[in-house]
Structure formats: C-alpha cells, structure tokens
C-alpha cells in the first residue's frame, strides 16, 4: 500500500483525476462523481476545551507581554520523510505544544500584534476537500491519514480562532512590521519570512519560551507524575521478563518498555538505554543489541512520554540475577549515597549547581577511600579528577523535553537558583570502562547510575519517582517480589 505525494494544488477547485505515482488507473468521471457524495456529517459539535486550555492561554499572554507590537510565529513542524512516501513518526515542537496544547503536524501559532497585546490564531490544515477528490486521492487526504479536526472543532478545543494554514505563507510574505519565528521546525514558514527576520531576534523568542518552561504549573506537574507512574510500571514489566532478555538480548528490554510507553503514553521520551554488563559504562548506549547475562548489572535509563508530551527520565541499575555481588553493591551504595546528598541539596533558594557539587563530593570521597585516586578529596575536586569515572553532570531540568529548557540563559538555569515548581533529575553515576587500566581489573566494565525526577516544593523537594526502590536491599527485595 503506497501513500500518494500531494497533488500540486489540493486546496484548489481543480478536480484531481489520478494518483500521482501512476500505480493506479486514472479516475473515471463517474467514479470521481460517485466519491463526492454519500458521506455522513461527522462534525463534532459538543467538544469541550482541552484540559490545559487555561494554562496555554496564560502562557500566550506572558509571551505577548514580552514582545509587544511584534508578530510571533511558532510552528509545530512538518513530517520528515524516511523514504519515498513513508514518514518518521511526527512529534510537534515543544514550543508549539506548550503554547497551544495542540500537536498537529504543519500547525502554526501566530500572535498578531494589536493596540493592547496580541490576537492569537491557530493555523491548521482543515478537513479534506471531498469535492475535488483530495480526501481520497491526495496522500495527505483524510482517507489515507485519518480524520482531522475541522477548524471549528479546533476552535472549541484550543480556545482561539483557527484558519487554513495553506494561506499562511502568502499572508506572512505580504505582512509588514516586526516579526519573529521559532526556527528549526518549518522550512516553508521560515522561507516566507526570510527577508523579515534575523537569527538573533528569533533566538530571543526561543530562549524566552525555554525559560517560561523552567517553572512547571500544576497541570504540568500532574502530567510529569503520570509520566513517572507509567515509567515505574515499565520498569516492573522489564524485571518480570529478565529471563526472556537473558535468552535474547537487550532488545527484549527495549521492546518491553516501549510497549508500556505506547500503551499508556504517546511514546518514549528519548531512546531507552538498556545497557547490560560493560555497556552500562557507555552513557548513551541505545544500540541495545548486546547480551544480558546473569551476574552482570543492567543499567536501564528510560522514560514514558505522556499524551501531552511530558516525559519521565529514570534510571535504575539492577543485578540481572536479582542479587548484587559484593563489589557491585559497594559501587551501587556509593552512588546511592551520592544521590541522597544530591537530593538533599534540592530546595528553593539553593543554587542549581549545589546538588551536583554535593553528589560529586561523595563520589570523590569514595574514590579516594577505595584507593583509585590519590587524595585529599579537596585536591581531587579542585582538579576534577573524579570525573574520569563520574563523567557527566548530576542532572538537568525535566519537562516536555528530557533535557528541558535547553536554551535558557546560563544565569536563568545553570547559574540560577531553584524555585518551587522546577522539576529536575538527580542522577549521579560511577563508570569504570572495560579498558581502564587505572582501576583494578574487577572494577572494569561496571557502570552504575541512579536517576530520579525531583520536584522542588515550597519547603524542599518531592521525589516523583519514589515508586521505584533505590537502596540496594530494596531493589533486591522488589525484584524478588516481581519475579515471584
Ligand atoms: N536519559 C538521558 C539522561 O539521563 O539525561
Ligand atoms: Mn537525565
Ligand atoms: Mn536518564
């Protein structure tokens, strides 16, 4: 079954007479006439606004206040071709979904400046034209890709006027006055604005929306909790099938977690890291094609993304056979202690860097204590010598993107101060590469990370992923209970 490329002018009145790739015979006048009629009216007239309609309106109002008098253009993005008429799964841009609650491909939010703010309009592809055959002869016709919301349905859902997105590029090309666009999502929209925008001004828009997302509202916190809860169930699923993974490969783990993500959410929020044995020392091991062996550790770093596009980001490092060896436990417990110190440093008014520093100090102390690096600890920390084995930062903001708010300014994020409503990961690790000749042989090939999703509250923090055990003995008891 092949999908068709879009005809030249699907929105025009010109009848479409034949599928473009010629795999099917031309359409007779009789069939074209026949396909125009006999279809029920399926307009949905009782739609309620989406759950976060009030939040998205408030976010647009904040954006409007920051850029008075300027036209703001925020695209959802387009499908990307995998090959011929096959596309990669679409995921709307975070900025667009955050400001509208919609996730439709090709959608564009435009804030049009007015005397006292902005008027928001959502530009979308309307229902397919049945009169000219588009709905069944165009590859993007609804008969091929599924029913879309009509523009009036979308107005009810998203709480703002909607218009046909096919008219937008020409309108933007003609428009005058200052304009900014969020770049990187929709080349067609950017082309229409090419002589009206500058990279620097556009980046200011992207940065503002990134910083807007630093503090999560109650709706977002609820969604993040849902993402984490599904993720907890996905981790339980994996533990229950470890014997099948042993008989096959890390792929069994990846597939098992993915099933949970697709059944309960939209997707996984990032490529699952299913790293058994020495693969645990590769930070972004997503090939997941290695063996799973009794006696080894499994580092599983995975997160479910909800239907509203909020993702969890959780890591547990599990003994494949249910019991840590003495050395695995020693390393695991050290990482746990570092994570405890990191989590304790997450509170309002603390610097973002504090939890990283607290965790790194514990890990440096352990490495000195084990004789892997020469002390004193202050010297190790000053020179950063522990980083040969700790490798990465101890955490990051979490939200609609796994590495959320990534273009926020340094002073607002990395050099900033924690506030209630921020959600971040605390994820220290120790990684001894298989070819690291500076550590005793028995350490080589062991990697441990523990990662939880932490909400900053008014008086400290709350671990959203507390549904998964963290101490080595609790992990063992949890695995034993699941394996029954
Ligand atoms: N899963 C990627 C990270 O932990 O940052
Ligand atoms: Mn993370
Ligand atoms: Mn992670």
């Amino acid at each position: 079954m092949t999908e068709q490329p879009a005809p030249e002018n699907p929105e025009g009145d010109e009848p479409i007479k034949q599928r473009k790739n010629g795999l099917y015979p031309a359409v007779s006048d009789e069939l074209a006439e026949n396909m125009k009629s006999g279809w029920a009216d399926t307009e949905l007239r009782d739609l309620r606004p989406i759950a976060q309609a009030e939040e998205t309106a408030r976010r647009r109002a904040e954006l409007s206040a920051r850029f008075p008098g300027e036209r703001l253009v925020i695209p959802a993005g387009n499908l990307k071709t995998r090959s011929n008429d096959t596309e990669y799964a679409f995921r709307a841009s975070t900025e667009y979904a955050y400001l509208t609650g919609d996730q439709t491909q090709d959608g564009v939010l435009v804030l049009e400046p007015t005397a006292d703010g902005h008027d928001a309009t959502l530009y979308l592809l309307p229902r397919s034209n049945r009169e000219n055959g588009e709905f069944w002869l165009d590859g993007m016709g609804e008969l091929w890709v599924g029913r879309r919301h009509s523009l009036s349905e979308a107005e009810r859902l998203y709480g703002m006027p909607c218009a046909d997105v096919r008219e937008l590029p020409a309108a933007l090309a003609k428009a005058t006055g200052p304009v900014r666009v969020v770049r990187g999502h929709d080349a067609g929209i950017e082309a229409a604005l090419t002589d009206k925008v500058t990279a620097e001004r556009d980046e200011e828009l992207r940065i503002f929306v990134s910083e807007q997302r630093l503090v999560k509202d109650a709706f977002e916190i609820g969604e993040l909790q849902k993402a984490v809860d599904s993720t907890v169930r996905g981790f339980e699923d994996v533990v229950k099938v470890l014997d099948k993974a042993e008989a096959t490969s890390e792929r069994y783990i990846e597939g098992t977690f993915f099933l949970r993500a697709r059944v309960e959410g939209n997707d996984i929020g990032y490529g699952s890291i299913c790293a058994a044995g020495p693969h645990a020392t590769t930070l972004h091991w997503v090939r997941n094609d290695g063996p799973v062996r009794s006696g080894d550790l499994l580092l599983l770093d995975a997160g479910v993304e909800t239907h509203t596009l909020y993702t969890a980001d959780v890591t547990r490092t599990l003994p494949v056979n249910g019991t840590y060896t003495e050395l695995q436990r020693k390393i695991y417990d050290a990482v746990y202690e570092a994570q405890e110190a990191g989590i304790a440093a997450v509170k309002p008014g603390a610097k973002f860097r504090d939890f990283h520093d607290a965790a790194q100090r514990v890990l440096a102390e352990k490495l000195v204590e084990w004789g892997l690096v020469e002390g004193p600890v202050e010297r190790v920390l000053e020179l950063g010598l522990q980083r040969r084995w700790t490798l990465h930062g101890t955490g990051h903001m979490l939200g609609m993107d796994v590495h959320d708010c990534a273009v926020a300014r340094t002073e607002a994020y990395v050099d900033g101060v924690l506030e209630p409503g921020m959600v971040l990961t605390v994820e220290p690790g120790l990684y001894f590469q298989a070819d690291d000749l500076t550590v005793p042989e028995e350490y080589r090939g062991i990697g441990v990370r523990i990662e939880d999703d932490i909400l900053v509250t008014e008086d400290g923090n709350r671990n959203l992923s507390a549904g998964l055990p963290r101490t080595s003995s609790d992990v063992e008891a949890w695995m034993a209970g699941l394996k029954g």
Side-chain angles (χ1 to χ4, degrees):
M1 187 170 68
T2 55
E3 189 184 289
Q4 302 306 302
E8 299 300 329
N9 183 22
E11 75 274 28
D13 294 332
E14 197 68 15
I16 300 168
K17 296 294 290 197
Q18 186 172 11
R19 297 186 159 289
K20 258 200 158 175
N21 68 3
L23 288 180
Y24 296 88
V27 173
S28 68
D29 289 345
E30 287 74 9
L31 177 58
E33 201 52 37
N34 175 282
M35 289 295 280
K36 285 182 187 175
S37 59
W39 309 106
D41 174 5
T42 61
E43 178 75 6
L44 302 168
R45 295 183 174 80
D46 55 357
L47 288 175
R48 311 298 310 156
I50 55 168
Q52 71 271 43
E54 276 180 27
E55 285 82 1
T56 55
R58 179 182 45 72
R59 296 167 195 161
R60 292 193 296 273
E62 289 167 3
L63 187 59
S64 167
R66 166 64 182 81
F67 297 103
E70 303 191 31
R71 181 176 291 107
L72 306 174
V73 181
I74 300 104
N78 318 120
L79 287 176
K80 290 193 176 50
T81 300
R82 176 173 165 157
S83 68
N84 306 318
D85 55 358
T86 308
E87 271 80 32
Y88 288 104
F90 177 74
R91 200 259 193 199
S93 77
T94 292
E95 294 92 345
Y96 176 86
Y98 179 73
L99 292 165
T100 67
D102 178 43
Q103 297 178 34
T104 311
Q105 69 209 37
D106 303 325
V108 185
L109 169 68
V110 178
L111 297 191
E112 200 71 36
T114 61
D116 56 354
H118 288 81
D119 286 339
T121 303
L122 196 51
Y123 287 87
L124 298 167
L125 213 49
R127 301 284 319 272
S128 291
N129 187 335
R130 288 177 190 240
E131 201 45 41
N132 71 357
E134 176 201 352
F135 91 104
W136 71 290
L137 290 168
D138 178 356
M140 282 296 127
E142 289 177 297
L143 187 136
W144 285 89
V145 299
R147 187 189 188 282
R148 293 188 278 271
H149 283 301
S150 69
L151 296 183
S152 45
E153 288 170 359
E155 284 179 359
R156 283 191 282 277
L157 287 170
Y158 304 114
M160 64 189 125
C162 296
D164 188 337
V165 71
R166 292 170 298 191
E167 288 154 17
L168 184 60
L172 288 176
K174 267 193 257 145
T176 55
V179 54
R180 302 183 197 239
V181 61
V182 175
R183 294 190 180 199
H185 304 309
D186 191 323
I189 294 295
E190 287 176 38
L193 292 168
T194 190
D195 54 350
K196 302 183 194 324
V197 292
T198 68
E200 197 184 346
R201 283 167 41 80
D202 289 350
E203 189 62 5
E204 286 169 359
L205 171 59
R206 205 162 73 101
I207 289 170
F208 181 81
V209 182
S210 196
E211 292 183 5
Q212 252 190 311
R213 296 190 289 110
L214 280 165
V215 174
K216 273 67 184 174
D217 58 40
F219 176 83
E220 295 182 285
I221 293 166
E223 292 301 292
L224 281 165
Q225 186 67 66
K226 276 190 217 164
V228 168
D229 292 346
S230 289
T231 299
V232 168
R233 289 188 281 277
F235 274 63
E236 290 168 354
D237 296 340
V238 166
V239 170
K240 288 179 190 160
V241 300
L242 277 179
D243 55 336
K244 295 205 174 63
E246 276 189 68
T248 53
S249 78
E250 295 163 339
R251 289 283 161 94
Y252 207 96
I253 294 163
E254 180 183 334
T256 300
F257 189 82
F258 185 62
L259 178 64
R260 180 64 70 170
R262 287 293 282 171
V263 168
E264 293 194 2
N266 178 55
D267 203 341
I268 46 175
Y270 54 93
S272 300
I273 297 168
C274 308
H279 290 158
T281 65
T282 301
L283 295 180
H284 285 169
W285 177 258
V286 291
R287 283 182 234 160
N288 301 337
D289 58 358
V292 178
R293 296 195 178 97
S294 175
D296 279 350
L297 294 175
L298 167 69
L299 185 156
L300 175 58
D301 180 345
V304 172
E305 178 188 66
T306 61
H307 294 292
T308 52
L309 307 186
Y310 288 83
T311 189
D313 180 13
V314 175
T315 306
R316 288 294 181 269
T317 307
L318 313 171
V320 171
N321 64 13
T323 309
Y324 295 99
T325 66
E326 204 179 317
L327 180 60
Q328 288 168 352
R329 189 185 308 276
K330 179 176 97 166
I331 297 169
Y332 185 95
D333 289 349
V335 174
Y336 171 76
E337 212 180 294
Q339 199 202 22
E340 280 286 276
I343 293 173
V346 174
K347 53 190 167 203
K351 294 200 200 86
F352 176 80
R353 287 186 197 273
D354 287 351
F355 75 95
H356 173 70
D357 292 345
Q360 291 287 303
R361 174 170 292 278
V362 173
L363 295 175
E365 285 167 2
K366 298 292 175 185
L367 292 164
V368 170
E369 185 185 314
W370 299 340
L372 301 185
V373 62
E374 195 188 320
V377 169
E378 291 311 326
R379 180 190 86 98
V380 172
L381 288 169
E382 198 175 310
L383 300 177
L385 300 178
Q386 80 285 359
R387 291 174 59 187
R388 182 180 177 99
W389 303 286
T390 67
L391 296 183
H392 54 76
T394 306
H396 50 83
M397 295 296 173
L398 182 71
M400 299 180 86
D401 293 332
V402 61
H403 295 162
D404 210 33
C405 313
V407 297
R409 291 163 304 153
T410 306
E411 58 267 38
Y413 183 174
V414 180
D415 287 343
V417 168
L418 298 182
E419 291 176 45
M422 289 179 168
V423 177
L424 48 94
T425 67
V426 178
E427 51 174 310
L430 280 176
Y431 311 90
F432 300 101
Q433 304 300 317
D435 59 354
D436 187 345
L437 302 181
T438 71
V439 297
E441 200 171 343
E442 63 268 25
Y443 283 71
R444 296 179 202 159
I446 295 181
V448 173
R449 178 164 65 254
I450 313 173
E451 175 172 27
D452 282 83
D453 300 342
I454 310 294
L455 166 68
V456 183
T457 58
E458 294 294 337
D459 54 359
N461 69 63
R462 177 152 56 88
N463 184 350
L464 301 179
S465 42
L468 284 175
R470 286 194 299 128
T471 68
S472 51
S473 54
D474 285 352
V475 168
E476 288 174 341
W478 171 73
M479 290 181 75
L482 287 170
K483 285 169 150 183

